[in-house]
Amino acid sequence: RGRGKRCHGFTTTDKNGAVWCHCTREEFAGSAKFYPNSGTYAHRLNGSIGANRTGESNGSSSPKSGKNGKPKRPKKLVKTWEYRDGDELLFRTQRYDFTDAEGGKTFRQSCPDGKGGWIYKNVFDHTRRVPYRLNELRAAAPGKPIFIVEGEKCSDKLVSLGKEASTAPEGAGKFHLVEDDFKKVLQGREALILPDNDEPGRRHAKDIAQRLTGNGVFGSIPCKILELPRLEKKEDVVEWFDLRGG
């Protein structure tokens, strides 16, 4: 481009660092929209040239920006988990998977605003944390052990197999925020702790065990840490059943 030679396309970078592809040949442009002011079929790139298109450019606008002016990564909602106390919905955790070339996942909490909408910022200034499946734990058969895992997905997996299971919201290192609620439902029961196979997971499991067996208002709760065999690094009980044969 600019050298007197025919050009099939070129890229530009906007002020936010997003890379945009401008194709000059309709037969190579696929479903991209033609913009007369630039004379190209333009779209924003995910990763390298030829990756999936996300958004369109009209030559003057740029993609939406997230924190620090960086473009927001495209993502899709995968799962929603509700946290309830009785009939009251206290908050929810939602998992999003990124759909760009980098992949990965992220989680977000929100709580009802009382007007039919949701609060996404400083959520726990407006509601309180409780263990996942608190109502079901309260209704569990007397003496039935309760598995404590890291994450709602792991809890759901065990429940699907007929076990009672729960997790602290927001992942590893947050058990102390729901410690008293756990100790109440664990009265007369044993806690079976299943850590993820990484160092944060093992630290989290040890912290839970120390807190449950310590002296306090609710007394000492019998518990065991169960290290699952054959797990690869960072795998959890879901992979243990689905990939390692349980």
Side-chain angles (χ1 to χ4, degrees):
R1 185 178 183 233
R3 297 180 182 178
K5 296 182 179 181
R6 181 173 297 278
C7 174
H8 289 178
F10 56 92
T11 61
T12 58
T13 302
D14 66 22
K15 64 181 180 180
N16 294 316
V19 178
W20 292 77
C21 179
H22 302 265
C23 184
T24 61
R25 297 279 294 274
E26 182 179 5
E27 63 267 38
F28 298 142
S31 60
K33 183 178 178 180
F34 180 75
Y35 292 94
N37 56 345
S38 66
T40 64
Y41 300 84
H43 59 80
R44 182 163 64 91
L45 289 177
N46 278 336
S48 60
I49 295 175
N52 292 334
R53 293 188 292 272
T54 59
E56 297 175 337
S57 171
N58 60 10
S60 60
S61 63
S62 60
K64 293 182 179 179
S65 298
K67 294 179 180 178
N68 302 320
K70 294 182 179 180
K72 288 185 177 180
R73 296 177 61 194
K75 58 183 184 292
K76 64 177 180 179
L77 177 63
V78 174
K79 182 72 175 179
T80 298
W81 294 279
E82 294 183 345
Y83 283 72
R84 293 181 175 270
D85 185 355
D87 293 332
E88 183 182 6
L89 173 59
L90 298 177
F91 63 97
R92 65 185 183 182
T93 292
Q94 294 180 296
R95 171 179 166 167
Y96 294 85
D97 284 357
F98 291 109
T99 57
D100 56 15
E102 292 181 51
K105 60 187 177 183
T106 188
F107 296 87
R108 191 178 192 185
Q109 281 77 35
S110 56
C111 67
D113 64 2
K115 303 175 184 178
W118 296 91
I119 296 171
Y120 289 94
K121 293 184 178 180
N122 303 316
V123 171
F124 296 108
D125 289 344
H126 304 276
T127 190
R128 68 182 185 91
R129 295 174 178 85
V130 295
Y132 179 51
R133 302 183 64 253
L134 178 60
N135 291 337
E136 290 81 357
L137 299 182
R138 289 170 174 164
K144 188 174 184 178
I146 292 175
F147 287 84
I148 301 178
V149 295
E150 186 181 331
E152 296 88 357
K153 182 179 179 181
C154 293
S155 178
D156 288 351
K157 181 65 175 182
L158 290 171
V159 171
S160 72
L161 298 171
K163 310 298 183 182
E164 283 299 336
S166 183
T167 184
E170 301 179 278
K174 300 298 179 67
F175 182 81
H176 64 286
L177 299 173
V178 289
E179 180 179 343
D180 285 350
D181 283 305
F182 264 112
K183 286 181 174 179
K184 289 177 184 177
V185 297
L186 284 167
Q187 293 299 299
R189 308 176 189 275
E190 182 181 31
L192 302 176
I193 306 165
L194 291 175
D196 286 4
N197 191 32
D198 55 21
E199 190 54 37
R202 286 185 282 273
R203 286 198 304 267
H204 181 54
K206 290 178 181 178
D207 177 66
I208 294 173
Q210 289 172 356
R211 291 179 181 279
L212 292 181
T213 56
N215 293 323
V217 175
F218 301 100
S220 179
I221 307 295
C223 65
K224 294 177 183 176
I225 296 177
L226 305 179
E227 296 273 359
L228 297 175
R230 306 187 307 279
L231 283 181
E232 298 291 335
K233 188 176 181 180
K234 294 189 176 182
E235 289 186 339
D236 54 34
V237 67
V238 174
E239 282 89 4
W240 191 66
F241 280 107
D242 292 350
L243 302 179
R244 309 299 166 206

